[in-house]
Amino acid sequence: MTSHQDWDPRAPEVLADPIAAYDHMRRRCPVAHSDYLHHSVFRHADVMRILMDPQTFSSQASRYVSVPNSMDPPEHTAYRALIEPYFGPDRMVEFEPTCRRICAELVSALPRNSSTEIMFGLAHPFALRMQCAFLGWPDSMHEPLLQWIHKKNVATLSGDSHAIAAVAMEFDETIRDLLKARRRAGDQAPDDVTTRLMHETVNGNPLAEEEIVSILRNWTVGELGTMASSVGIIANYLANHPDLQDRLRRDPDLVRPANDEILRIHAPLIANRRTPTCPVRVGGTQVQPGERLTLIWASANRDETVFGDPDEFRLDRDPSLNLLYGAGIHACPGAPLARLELEAMIQALLADTRRLEPSDEHPPMPAIYPASGYRQAILMLRHD
């Protein structure tokens, strides 16, 4: 028996223009069923309600251990308290010089006064170098991580549970090898984020290796894909809005809020999951315990009832309404790091160029779910 489907998230027209497709679904069917994503939730109010009620809407929506993403209180509370200091103000101040140096090096290496493929020419190297620098991982990890992200996206799109599990296991083994090297080094192990994490405790107990691997996996998966997507989205948006480029060059302090607003308009992360703990109605749809809810960030952050014209760029919006980094107890703990890195990169790119221009001959190619942004985006970087 074939189940009822309100839409097909993998239909060619959806993959060709995901943002437009989500806008259409939000207006037509705000909670839509599909075999692939189960119950997709498109409206801002419904997504916010789910995020702010972890008792009714559990984060335990995955079969795999995910610390603390798939945890609920009270377990989540203890692990979240462990993680947040890694992204606190002191740590950001400590990391900022390295962050800005990497951005300056990457931008200065770009070809001058010529067309540049921004994703593999800048965005992916940026995400890889930043993540490895923050975690204390060697440069030799760049290429394996890039290949792993590609395999992960292919496996997720296929829906093949065995392929998804194999890709996850491959990444976990890579992390375990890094942990083994640090244990062998003993007191000579580098004093970095990864080593510090190995000595953490929760409720007086040392973290199990499985928990350390899960935390590092979440940080890496969340960082690499979405940060590269973010750079591509912002750079392409600025190339198509020269007046905003000029404004940000004149006032670099506006880059951080401008980044948040651009990424509200075009989300770098498409969705997340929850599951109800009891029978509940969401947007007029009855959902049973254990059924999956897919929260479509890329739609909720464009809801007309909250933002008016979703494509209008405005810096005076209420930042608490922007779900770029989530909301509630599971709001992204790494938001301070992401904002710092994106600010440093866009400031460096604008400072080094006179104008970013889109390519008339090669329009950007959209990424394929679960990725967002672009697979390819060619821009002209003018310096003279």
Side-chain angles (χ1 to χ4, degrees):
M1 179 177 178
T2 302
S3 62
H4 167 72
Q5 291 206 92
D6 296 307
W7 74 311
D8 180 2
R10 292 181 287 185
E13 62 272 19
V14 174
L15 297 179
D17 193 347
I19 300 300
Y22 303 149
D23 285 348
H24 174 72
M25 289 304 301
R26 183 176 62 253
R27 298 157 186 156
R28 182 179 74 82
C29 186
V31 178
H33 183 266
S34 67
D35 290 339
Y36 183 50
L37 295 181
H38 302 263
H39 298 287
S40 294
V41 184
F42 292 96
R43 293 191 307 196
H44 189 280
D46 294 328
V47 169
M48 185 66 84
R49 172 196 169 196
I50 291 167
L51 294 176
M52 302 307 290
D53 185 1
Q55 183 173 354
T56 302
F57 300 98
S58 172
S59 291
Q60 295 182 12
S62 173
R63 291 173 294 172
Y64 304 101
V65 173
S66 182
V67 180
N69 302 31
S70 66
M71 293 176 168
D72 295 324
E75 183 181 36
H76 169 270
T77 306
Y79 285 89
R80 178 76 182 215
L82 177 154
I83 285 170
E84 285 185 341
Y86 285 87
F87 304 98
D90 290 345
R91 178 58 181 148
M92 295 303 97
V93 169
E94 179 185 349
F95 185 63
E96 183 169 357
T98 298
C99 174
R100 293 194 179 275
R101 174 182 56 78
I102 290 171
C103 291
E105 291 173 356
L106 289 169
V107 168
S108 66
L110 294 172
R112 301 180 69 82
N113 296 306
S114 64
S115 295
T116 299
E117 200 294 295
I118 211 74
M119 294 309 299
F120 285 91
L122 180 65
H124 288 297
F126 159 80
L128 288 165
R129 286 193 61 181
M130 284 295 183
Q131 184 63 5
C132 288
F134 181 73
L135 294 176
W137 293 359
D139 291 349
S140 60
M141 290 289 293
H142 294 176
E143 186 59 28
L145 285 173
L146 186 62
Q147 295 299 321
W148 181 83
I149 287 291
H150 173 71
K151 286 187 280 188
K152 171 185 173 292
N153 287 340
V154 170
T156 303
L157 183 64
S158 73
D160 184 338
S161 59
H162 295 293
I164 294 171
V167 170
M169 185 176 298
E170 176 185 338
F171 183 75
D172 288 0
E173 285 305 311
T174 300
I175 296 179
R176 292 182 198 279
D177 288 342
L178 290 169
L179 300 182
K180 288 177 186 175
R182 280 166 166 74
R183 291 192 181 101
R184 286 196 298 268
D187 293 340
Q188 302 304 310
D191 180 19
D192 56 30
V193 168
T194 300
T195 301
R196 292 174 209 166
L197 193 62
M198 294 171 66
H199 298 291
E200 293 283 7
T201 62
V202 172
N203 298 325
N205 299 313
L207 288 178
E209 178 160 303
E210 182 181 28
E211 294 172 328
I212 298 171
V213 169
S214 176
I215 292 170
L216 291 171
R217 183 201 311 125
N218 284 334
W219 287 354
T220 306
V221 174
E223 182 83 0
L224 293 181
T226 55
M227 292 304 289
S229 294
S230 295
V231 169
I233 290 167
I234 296 168
N236 186 71
Y237 188 92
L238 293 176
N240 284 279
H241 295 81
D243 290 347
L244 179 58
Q245 273 188 65
D246 292 340
R247 183 181 179 187
L248 297 182
R249 284 191 178 91
R250 291 193 304 268
D251 191 350
D253 288 343
L254 293 179
V255 165
R256 185 172 293 204
N259 287 344
D260 279 8
E261 173 68 352
I262 293 168
L263 297 177
R264 179 201 62 78
I265 294 170
H266 188 159
L269 179 65
I270 295 294
N272 208 319
R273 294 180 293 179
R274 297 291 190 273
T275 185
T277 59
C278 59
V280 65
R281 293 188 71 81
V282 179
T285 297
Q286 186 68 33
V287 184
Q288 299 302 319
E291 293 185 335
R292 185 192 303 173
L293 291 164
T294 302
L295 314 185
I296 308 293
W297 309 113
S299 169
N301 248 0
R302 293 175 53 81
D303 193 325
E304 298 83 354
T305 65
V306 176
F307 301 105
D309 178 357
D311 289 309
E312 181 184 9
F313 176 92
R314 288 175 48 186
L315 291 178
D316 62 347
R317 298 187 187 277
D318 181 351
S320 68
L321 298 175
N322 190 336
L323 297 175
L324 172 61
Y325 295 104
I329 66 169
H330 284 281
C332 177
L337 176 63
R339 286 190 167 107
L340 168 63
E341 291 177 351
L342 291 173
E343 176 187 64
M345 171 48 67
I346 300 306
Q347 286 177 344
L349 183 61
L350 292 176
D352 190 67
T353 57
R354 180 179 61 82
R355 184 58 55 90
L356 308 177
E357 297 176 355
S359 169
D360 294 331
E361 297 179 0
H362 304 285
M365 298 172 57
I368 298 175
Y369 186 92
S372 184
Y374 307 108
R375 282 177 286 166
Q376 182 184 78
I378 297 176
L379 303 180
M380 170 65 76
L381 275 57
R382 297 200 181 277
H383 298 79
D384 299 337

